């Protein structure tokens, strides 16, 4: 795998992480502002984390079977769907149905986050086979930048909410991710990372 492909994948993940961090802050601040209790705020993030567990568990296997490019594309696409889905929330709905709607949107984002993350991590493994001496640097760059982008995303979410409001911020992030999706789809090989996946649970978990 060429280093160019690695940096395209990493850049796509940076953009995704920015929007993911911003989304968390948008959801937290917006729904706190309209009167959601601390318990309800915690509840609406539950499905995000639960769905992320399953996506993280099988994301690597999917990346090997279908290729990193396809899984990265699916992850970013799901995040776009989740953002638009959340923007359709209607203030006239009952509180129960609103919470259900938000939970579904957060669940979609949870799957999107871990599919994108595992696809990006798989890129490091492939890169290492050709650039073994740079493995530590590549891992450090990916991990450190991921946490940095997430932190910046929190601030970005607060700024967007203050300047543009909830729905317009979601639409803007969806548009930005769509542009990133086109970029990654255009520059990455379609079969990047594709090989024979694990054929049994024992082999998968080993």
């Amino acid at each position: 795998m060429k280093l160019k492909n690695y940096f395209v994948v990493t850049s796509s993940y940076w953009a995704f992480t920015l929007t993911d961090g911003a989304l968390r802050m948008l959801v937290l601040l917006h729904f706190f502002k309209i009167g959601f209790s601390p318990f309800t705020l915690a509840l609406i993030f539950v499905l995000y984390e639960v769905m992320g567990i399953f996506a993280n568990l099988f994301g690597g296997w999917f990346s090997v079977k279908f290729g990193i490019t396809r899984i990265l594309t699916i992850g970013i696409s799901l995040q776009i769907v989740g953002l638009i889905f959340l923007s359709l929330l209607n203030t006239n709905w009952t509180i129960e149905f609103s919470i259900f709607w938000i939970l579904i949107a957060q669940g979609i984002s949870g799957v999107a986050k871990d599919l994108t993350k595992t696809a990006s991590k798989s890129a490091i493994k492939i890169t290492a086979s050709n650039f073994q001496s740079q493995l530590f640097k590549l891992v450090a760059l990916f991990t450190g930048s991921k946490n940095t982008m997430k932190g910046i995303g929190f601030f970005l979410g607060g700024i967007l909410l203050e300047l543009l409001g909830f729905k317009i911020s979601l639409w803007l992030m969806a548009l930005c991710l769509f542009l990133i999706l086109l970029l990654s789809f255009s520059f990455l090989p379609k079969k990047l990372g594709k090989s024979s996946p694990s054929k049994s649970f024992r082999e998968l978990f080993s």
Side-chain angles (χ1 to χ4, degrees):
M1 175 181 172
K2 297 179 179 179
L3 277 177
K4 181 201 74 172
N5 295 336
Y6 168 78
F7 285 116
V8 171
V9 172
T10 302
S11 298
S12 298
Y13 186 65
W14 285 347
F16 180 94
T17 305
L18 275 174
T19 63
D20 191 58
L23 175 61
R24 294 196 201 190
M25 195 56 63
L26 277 168
V27 170
L28 182 64
L29 295 178
H30 175 71
F31 292 112
F32 174 77
K33 185 177 180 180
I34 64 176
F36 279 32
S37 69
F39 177 79
T40 304
L41 289 172
L43 177 64
I44 61 179
F45 284 103
V46 168
L47 196 59
Y48 174 91
E49 299 296 344
V50 171
M51 295 304 294
I53 291 172
F54 290 103
N56 194 48
L57 182 62
F58 295 103
W61 187 87
F62 288 140
S63 295
V64 171
K65 182 174 177 62
F66 300 109
I68 290 172
T69 302
R70 182 176 295 182
I71 298 304
L72 186 64
T73 299
I74 292 173
I76 296 175
S77 299
L78 281 175
Q79 182 76 331
I80 295 172
V81 171
L83 290 169
I84 296 174
F85 189 89
L86 185 58
S87 74
L88 299 177
L89 182 69
N90 193 320
T91 55
N92 294 323
W93 293 343
T94 63
I95 185 66
E96 292 79 13
F97 189 75
S98 295
I99 293 173
F100 172 76
W101 190 270
I102 299 166
L103 277 170
I104 297 300
Q106 291 294 286
I108 295 172
S109 294
V111 173
K113 179 200 70 172
D114 280 289
L115 285 182
T116 306
K117 180 177 68 176
T118 51
S120 301
K121 286 184 175 181
S122 297
I124 297 178
K125 180 180 179 181
I126 297 173
T127 303
S129 63
N130 296 322
F131 303 95
Q132 190 67 40
S133 62
Q134 301 183 44
L135 174 59
F136 182 79
K137 292 182 179 179
L138 293 175
V139 172
L141 173 64
F142 178 83
T143 304
S145 62
K146 177 193 71 172
N147 295 331
T148 300
M149 290 297 171
K150 185 179 294 184
I152 295 174
F154 291 154
F155 284 100
L156 179 64
I159 293 171
L160 288 175
L161 184 61
E162 185 70 22
L163 297 179
L164 301 178
F166 186 66
K167 287 190 176 183
I168 296 179
S169 297
L170 293 175
W171 294 338
L172 178 61
M173 290 194 297
L175 175 60
C176 292
L177 280 179
F178 179 71
L179 297 176
I180 294 297
L181 179 64
L182 293 179
L183 178 69
S184 60
F185 189 78
S186 300
F187 284 94
L188 290 175
K190 302 300 180 289
K191 295 184 179 180
L192 177 64
K194 189 174 182 179
S195 62
S196 299
S198 303
K199 297 179 181 179
S200 66
F201 277 105
R202 174 177 292 183
E203 186 178 353
L204 173 66
F205 286 107
S206 68

